[in-house]
Amino acid sequence: MGMPVELKGHVDKVWQISWSPTELLFVSCSGDKSIRVWKPSKPDLTEWVCTKTLDSAHSRTIRSLAWNPDGNILASCSFDSTTGIWEKEYELVATLEGHENEVKCVSWSASGTLLATCSRDKSVWIWEAMGDGDFECIGVLQEHTQDVKSVAWHPHEEILASASYDDTIRLWKDDDGDWFSFQTLTEHASTVWAIDFDKSGDYLASVSDDQSLIVWKRSSSGYEVHSKYPNLHQRTIYSVSWSKQNNLIATCGGDNSFCIIEFNPDAENGLTLKKRYESAHGDSDINCISWCPLGNNSDLLATAGDDHLIRVWKIQL
Amino acid sequence: MEDLIHLEEMFHEYGRLDGIEQGQKSGLLEGKVLGLEKGFDFAKEMGYYIAFSEHWISIVEQNRVAYPERTLKQLNNLLDLCLTFHTENNLNIDPLKLMNNVRGKFKAACSLLKVHYSYSDTQALNF
């Protein structure tokens, strides 16, 4: 079997996949309330197997997953309004409660000490990991006026970005224990579905229901629009992944396709579409796209779709 | 003669000016009543948070080791925010944004205390 490899196992929409930062494996979560762990079973990576299924923790759809930077703690968040913390060979060690309803996204800070979650209740929560599965809430940020879709930490600093149904991205930082929003990015014309920083943190990519991709550049006063790719997809763009090994950005969405875009920071409008993969999951929406973070496998890309499938692609440009 | 020709427009204009004046008067009253109601709702909710934080501050102070270190700071922040909440009109302050900040602090405090409380005013609709 060649590329892409098709991974069957979930029995409902697959919402997200998260690559381990330290070894060649990833986890996926689904509307079937389970988390699956996938590993390659052949050295040429043409066959992947599900080595574990975790299905006892959440009572509703699991929407998002995130590995901590050391790759030994996994966080999962669910429409059941809780966030699960998994350690030591996938043992559920903690359940974080607080959100009023569906938790949409979870993200670890670069140091692995802070965890952010966001929800349909319009709030973003920041938790500090105290060790031994103990988490303390250090902030509840209620400035978005709608459903918060996605959260992402800066790759080095304690700066958090959140994207919302209110069409904005907010940037947060800490001032003596008090988290506040220091900037609101308002360029998108509709729901901002996902955000991802580049490896330096000087650039931030965002994708939206307005079918555009925007790359923001950091300046002394905050993040500003650097490049814009309007009408990149024909429908809502749901997910964006910025490779941590190079300047390739991958996007996917409701038009059943995914795109590989190269970013050149020195060009005035530095976004070039390198390749578009049509009908990558047949006629199903593609919910998530993610580059493998490992240097030796940086050409691997995984996509997750409404067709219950995950596909692993080897991208050659 | 000239006046007679423009009679209709003239009275139309008089009527318009009268309408503006009347509208301002009744609008002012309506605004006052709405402001009073909203202000009352805000103060009621704020009072709940003040009582909550004062009560829990006294409990935590008696047994500090039983709670995370930042609990007391969070509660005091909440109390301060409530006590310093503006009680006069100030167009430079967005009261709803400030209120949401207070609500966030309250939720964070509840999480640290590991208690489930929520302020509810059955007549309030929050969107």
Side-chain angles (χ1 to χ4, degrees):
Chain A
M1 194 164 68
M3 290 286 180
V5 189
E6 193 172 280
L7 280 61
K8 284 182 188 159
H10 283 297
V11 291
D12 202 330
K13 291 175 185 179
V14 189
W15 283 111
Q16 218 206 350
I17 73 118
S18 177
W19 292 89
S20 161
T22 50
E23 56 176 314
L24 191 57
L25 69 85
F26 66 83
V27 287
S28 61
C29 60
S30 158
D32 66 12
K33 305 168 209 160
S34 76
I35 298 166
R36 282 171 181 265
V37 184
W38 305 88
K39 282 180 188 170
S41 53
K42 282 185 178 171
D44 66 354
L45 312 181
T46 55
E47 202 173 283
W48 291 63
V49 288
C50 174
T51 57
K52 205 150 199 138
T53 304
L54 316 168
D55 55 7
S56 56
H58 292 291
S59 61
R60 289 184 63 194
T61 291
I62 305 175
R63 184 64 181 82
S64 165
L65 299 164
W67 284 105
N68 72 334
D70 292 336
N72 57 6
I73 308 177
L74 178 70
S76 62
C77 68
S78 161
F79 287 180
D80 68 9
S81 85
T82 69
T83 303
I85 304 293
W86 309 78
E87 279 179 48
K88 305 170 204 121
E89 284 305 302
Y90 307 104
E91 187 189 321
L92 185 70
V93 293
T95 304
L96 310 181
E97 293 173 16
H99 281 294
E100 284 167 21
N101 44 43
E102 288 90 333
V103 189
K104 296 291 179 78
C105 186
V106 58
S107 175
W108 291 92
S109 70
S111 64
T113 54
L114 299 177
L115 184 74
T117 56
C118 64
S119 160
R120 190 167 74 85
D121 69 11
K122 306 172 194 169
S123 69
V124 175
W125 286 54
I126 297 177
W127 307 82
E128 184 175 341
M130 310 300 287
D132 294 327
D134 192 18
F135 284 77
E136 283 179 11
C137 168
I138 60 173
V140 177
L141 318 177
Q142 307 209 116
E143 288 198 28
H144 280 294
T145 55
Q146 294 291 345
D147 192 354
V148 190
K149 298 290 187 191
S150 173
V151 280
W153 287 96
H154 186 282
H156 315 297
E157 297 170 41
E158 289 192 344
I159 290 176
L160 180 72
S162 61
S164 165
Y165 184 57
D166 68 11
D167 307 349
T168 71
I169 300 161
R170 279 179 184 272
L171 293 157
W172 310 84
K173 63 181 173 192
D174 162 81
D175 175 36
D176 192 27
D178 212 11
W179 284 80
F180 71 102
S181 162
F182 67 92
Q183 203 188 357
T184 306
L185 310 178
T186 55
E187 191 72 14
H188 280 294
S190 188
T191 304
V192 188
W193 274 92
I195 39 184
D196 198 13
F197 285 94
D198 78 323
K199 67 178 170 219
S200 71
D202 292 339
Y203 296 93
L204 173 70
S206 60
V207 290
S208 161
D209 182 50
D210 68 12
Q211 304 166 8
S212 75
L213 162 72
I214 296 180
V215 171
W216 309 78
K217 184 184 189 212
R218 192 177 187 181
S219 68
S220 52
S221 55
Y223 284 83
E224 293 162 2
V225 176
H226 179 283
S227 297
K228 217 171 161 177
Y229 202 120
N231 304 314
L232 175 61
H233 286 263
Q234 262 115 53
R235 289 201 182 171
T236 306
I237 312 180
Y238 289 129
S239 177
V240 61
S241 175
W242 197 322
S243 170
K244 298 299 172 271
Q245 299 296 336
N246 51 49
N247 257 338
L248 293 178
I249 301 170
T251 60
C252 66
D255 64 0
N256 316 331
S257 75
F258 72 84
C259 295
I260 309 293
I261 299 111
E262 191 176 56
F263 176 65
N264 176 3
D266 301 322
E268 196 177 320
N269 202 343
L271 296 169
T272 315
L273 178 64
K274 302 299 278 186
K275 212 162 182 180
R276 185 191 300 274
Y277 292 76
E278 303 280 358
S279 306
H281 280 254
D283 55 8
S284 295
D285 285 8
I286 308 172
N287 297 315
C288 173
I289 191 156
S290 183
W291 288 105
C292 177
L294 304 176
N296 293 336
N297 301 98
S298 61
D299 56 347
L300 286 185
L301 186 71
T303 53
D306 270 2
D307 54 3
H308 312 177
L309 297 176
I310 299 159
R311 287 198 156 106
V312 179
W313 309 72
K314 217 179 178 81
I315 304 297
Q316 277 151 345
L317 296 175
Chain B
M1 194 60 196
E2 189 79 345
D3 280 357
L4 279 175
I5 294 169
H6 294 295
L7 209 57
E8 195 181 337
E9 277 136 82
M10 202 172 80
F11 279 108
H12 190 271
E13 180 60 17
Y14 284 153
R16 197 180 68 88
L17 293 172
D18 276 359
I20 289 174
E21 203 179 309
Q22 284 295 320
Q24 277 171 340
K25 272 185 194 157
S26 60
L28 187 71
L29 190 69
E30 222 179 284
K32 262 189 178 163
V33 171
L34 184 71
L36 205 64
E37 281 174 8
K38 292 288 161 199
F40 179 76
D41 287 345
F42 267 46
K44 211 159 81 168
E45 187 171 349
M46 210 62 78
Y48 176 87
Y49 298 139
I50 291 172
F52 167 88
S53 45
E54 282 177 342
H55 177 73
W56 278 101
I57 285 169
S58 72
I59 290 176
V60 175
E61 274 179 342
Q62 282 166 34
N63 189 6
R64 285 186 191 220
V65 287
Y67 299 93
E69 218 180 297
R70 54 169 63 91
T71 314
L72 210 51
K73 192 183 168 196
Q74 190 70 261
L75 285 167
N76 278 314
N77 273 347
L78 173 63
L79 184 59
D80 279 354
L81 265 180
C82 294
L83 293 175
T84 54
F85 202 86
H86 61 293
T87 50
E88 275 161 32
N89 275 336
N90 183 343
L91 293 176
N92 297 318
I93 301 174
D94 177 358
L96 208 58
K97 191 178 160 182
L98 209 58
M99 191 66 184
N100 276 333
N101 194 5
V102 171
R103 287 173 179 148
K105 292 262 181 312
F106 170 70
K107 283 185 189 170
C110 283
S111 176
L112 287 167
L113 293 164
K114 295 195 166 40
V115 293
H116 282 285
Y117 288 112
S118 65
Y119 174 78
S120 75
D121 183 341
T122 45
Q123 286 171 336
L125 277 175
N126 289 310
F127 290 102

